Amino acid sequence: MQFEPVIGLEVHVQLLTESKIFCGCSARFGAPPNSNVCPVCLGLPGALPVLNRRAVEFAVLAAQALNCQVRETSIFARKNYFYPDLPKGYQISQFDKPVAEHGFVDIPSGEGTRRIGITRLHMEEDAGKSLHDGFPNSATSTAIDLNRSGVPLIEIVSEPDMRSPEEAYDFLTRLKEIILYTGVSDCNMEEGSLRCDANISVRRRGAEKFGTKAEVKNLNSFRYLQRALEYEIERQISVLESGGKIAQETRLWNVSEGRTESMRSKEFAHDYRYFPEPDLLPLRVSAAWQGEIAAAMPELPDARRKRFVRDFSITPYDAEVLTTTRVLADYFEGVVGAGAPPKPAANWIQVELLRQLKDAGKEIAESPVPPRELAALVAKVESGEINAATGKKVFARMFETGKPAAEIIAAEGFSQVSDTGEIERWCREVIEKNPDNLAKYRAGNEGVFKFFVGQVMRASRGQANPQTVNDTLKRLLS
Ligand code: ADP
Ligand code: ZN
Ligand code: MG
């Protein structure tokens, strides 16, 4: 390819505070329209904002997790614009003195990692929501829901450091993972707790200067982000190749048509007339307070992955899968903590548990099998009390019923049969029923031995102790 893409992302993350950023209204998603509102978030004249301390702590925790430098003094600023869902006529945000700057996120790259810079992280309030359909008269009107007005957000702006849609995808994946670990947001894209705008330009390979960028909005899934970037790269390259120029503009991802389309030109850059918010004092986050917040930092995904590989001797791949969420990683540690050897524990979780959860459309937190019970099952399989195939059946029943392994094994007669008398009876039966194969075996065809083992295991519904079956068959066949 003759052209190289240059990508920078702007990510909005909703903070999981109980109340809004400048008033006491509930910040919860899903309440009846316009029920979580007060004079402050409705923008009524004379109402005064009061900063939510918890929102600051969450923003600082996120900033620290993203390796940012936190400012001791940051300034809230008014960003002025008109929009029907912005009743004050301005949004309180931060401008030239954001709460944090100069961070980074490492993304996987070949064997190692690549570092993507974070320019800034600032705090701001969300606007309300304009609803264009799904309510009475929606054919002719737009409805406004101001529940979201004043909900705390952080905006994270990356450096233009990404060079492919995959890198943008990986960056957003890692970013989301880190934020989820900190617990400051649920990063639910469907509910708008995580929103991403992508800035993209292309330049001739080897060129130093960046090309003119377009900003693509409305990317409310990882897949849309990747597809929109792929589309934009092709579009910009074909414009340039046919001798045209890229317009600096904001574009929208059209989901149903699978393409980006022009929304507004940026030729006359927005003038938001930022100025320091006169109703709020400068935000002071002293070194001591920063230290207190940092002390509450949980172990982050990268560190946890490394520790899993080091302490549990599992593969980097397994560690990667098991740390995708904090809950999953906690679950794994719970199973190991309850006595299961790490490798089998990792396998059972990745193969059986994750599959059952996926089929049932459940999250790990809703797993009907608690870590302690999975550990008990793994112990039974490892000790040979039941074999692996039976273990899977038992696990399926545990998942279905939420009952402990021991109870299911006892109630459903799943325990491994090591009774030599019973195993011998099965072996004799199988040999009697298969004279042809017996002849083959005796003529020196050792390959049919496996056939006999398989038949006996089947006769025992998978419960016979495989070692005893082997020994017994060897004895009887010869
Ligand atoms: P604007 O003034 O349009 O908001 P900024 O310089 O603040 O632009 O950058 C906004 C976002 O665009 C950042 O994520 C940045 O990394 C990205 N960006 C800036 N220039 C380019 C470019 N030429 N190509 C792609 N992305 C860019
Ligand atoms: Zn309010
Ligand atoms: Mg900007």
Side-chain angles (χ1 to χ4, degrees):
M1 213 162 88
Q2 225 191 324
F3 288 90
E4 176 184 58
V6 170
I7 301 164
L9 300 185
E10 292 168 283
V11 184
H12 285 89
V13 175
Q14 183 184 323
L15 300 176
L16 262 183
T17 53
E18 287 295 321
S19 56
K20 294 186 179 181
I21 185 169
F22 299 125
C23 62
C25 293
S26 165
R28 280 289 93 88
F29 179 86
N34 299 305
S35 58
N36 293 336
V37 292
C38 75
V40 174
C41 54
L42 287 174
L44 302 189
L48 289 173
V50 177
L51 181 57
N52 179 335
R53 184 184 178 94
R54 179 50 67 83
V56 175
E57 288 169 346
F58 280 180
V60 170
L61 190 69
Q64 289 168 338
L66 298 170
N67 308 295
C68 291
Q69 288 166 25
V70 176
R71 259 178 203 282
E72 290 214 16
T73 305
S74 62
I75 304 288
F76 284 98
R78 286 192 185 178
K79 179 180 182 179
N80 299 281
Y81 64 96
F82 170 80
Y83 209 75
D85 58 23
L86 187 74
K88 291 199 296 292
Y90 59 85
Q91 178 190 23
I92 304 180
S93 179
Q94 295 185 311
F95 182 51
D96 55 344
K97 290 195 172 61
V99 70
E101 296 163 296
H102 312 306
F104 63 85
V105 168
D106 287 332
I107 60 171
S109 160
E111 291 298 288
T113 56
R114 226 169 84 65
R115 183 155 288 187
I116 307 298
I118 290 175
T119 315
R120 56 188 273 135
L121 180 152
H122 69 251
M123 300 181 69
E124 62 186 24
E125 60 178 338
D126 207 347
K129 205 171 179 177
S130 299
L131 302 157
H132 304 292
D133 43 42
F135 63 94
N137 304 330
S138 61
T140 51
S141 345
T142 288
I144 307 284
D145 178 2
L146 292 167
N147 283 347
R148 212 176 63 181
S149 170
V151 161
L153 302 178
I154 48 175
E155 179 174 341
I156 299 156
V157 182
S158 88
E159 290 288 309
D161 283 349
M162 289 155 271
R163 295 290 174 269
S164 67
E166 293 71 36
E167 285 194 350
Y169 185 99
D170 287 343
F171 172 78
L172 193 61
T173 303
R174 286 294 194 233
L175 181 74
K176 178 181 171 190
E177 214 172 77
I178 293 168
I179 299 283
L180 277 175
Y181 263 66
T182 64
V184 306
S185 175
D186 60 19
C187 294
N188 185 328
M189 275 187 134
E190 279 116 63
E191 294 178 1
S193 314
L194 179 73
R195 288 169 244 162
C196 177
D197 300 333
N199 297 271
I200 170 141
S201 62
V202 298
R203 63 178 171 185
R204 279 191 192 275
R205 243 167 235 291
E208 248 185 60
K209 206 165 163 285
F210 289 155
T212 305
K213 72 174 156 73
E215 182 181 357
V216 187
K217 290 198 174 287
N218 200 24
L219 301 171
N220 47 20
S221 83
F222 280 75
R223 205 161 51 92
Y224 295 161
L225 167 68
Q226 201 168 0
R227 286 182 51 202
L229 287 173
E230 278 159 9
Y231 180 90
E232 254 315 282
I233 291 167
E234 297 254 317
R235 185 189 71 85
Q236 293 187 11
I237 290 174
S238 68
V239 169
L240 293 177
E241 277 182 338
S242 59
K245 268 187 149 177
I246 303 297
Q248 171 140 344
E249 61 184 355
T250 302
R251 300 176 70 85
L252 266 190
W253 172 242
N254 183 322
V255 177
S256 50
E257 316 231 328
R259 58 191 179 84
T260 66
E261 48 197 39
S262 184
M263 183 172 121
R264 60 171 180 248
S265 160
K266 259 208 170 178
E267 202 176 329
F268 305 98
H270 261 126
D271 186 351
Y272 292 115
R273 297 186 168 238
Y274 280 101
F275 62 84
E277 167 60 58
D279 291 338
L280 289 166
L281 291 165
L283 169 59
R284 295 257 314 137
V285 187
S286 66
W289 193 15
Q290 287 178 40
E292 272 169 46
I293 295 168
M297 180 73 69
E299 185 180 30
L300 294 175
D302 252 342
R304 205 161 192 187
R305 271 190 279 277
K306 289 193 181 115
R307 181 167 61 81
F308 279 11
V309 171
R310 191 185 62 228
D311 292 0
F312 300 137
S313 304
I314 60 175
T315 65
Y317 174 80
D318 287 350
E320 176 87 36
V321 174
L322 292 170
T323 53
T324 40
T325 67
R326 199 169 143 186
V327 193
L328 181 60
D330 288 346
Y331 188 98
F332 169 67
E333 289 208 80
V335 178
V336 174
K343 268 186 194 166
N347 284 338
W348 278 91
I349 292 173
Q350 287 178 84
V351 181
E352 298 302 318
L353 179 65
L354 290 184
R355 185 170 49 89
Q356 295 274 6
L357 286 170
K358 190 163 172 244
D359 290 350
K362 284 192 163 128
E363 298 291 327
I364 180 86
E366 306 164 294
S367 168
V369 180
R372 188 174 16 88
E373 288 309 324
L374 180 55
L377 176 67
V378 173
K380 287 182 194 305
V381 175
E382 290 298 303
S383 72
E385 187 182 323
I386 54 174
N387 65 32
T390 305
K392 286 180 186 174
K393 285 187 214 155
V394 173
F395 181 78
R397 295 288 292 145
M398 289 167 74
F399 194 90
E400 235 173 83
T401 62
K403 288 184 184 157
E407 197 179 319
I408 287 168
I409 291 168
E412 309 198 13
F414 269 140
S415 61
Q416 178 158 299
V417 177
S418 299
D419 171 350
T420 45
E422 181 145 22
I423 289 177
E424 183 161 337
R425 254 195 315 284
W426 282 321
C427 291
R428 286 189 186 283
E429 240 177 72
V430 167
I431 293 171
E432 258 167 46
K433 276 193 204 148
N434 294 281
D436 294 0
N437 280 321
L438 175 64
K440 276 188 204 159
Y441 182 80
R442 295 214 162 131
N445 183 348
E446 305 235 331
V448 294
F449 187 73
K450 274 206 189 104
F451 162 83
F452 282 111
V453 174
Q455 291 297 306
V456 174
M457 290 310 288
R458 226 169 102 182
S460 76
R461 289 167 52 229
Q463 283 166 250
N465 179 322
Q467 192 53 51
T468 316
V469 172
N470 263 281
D471 297 347
T472 314
L473 275 174
K474 278 231 170 81
R475 180 163 52 78
L476 294 177
L477 287 171
S478 56

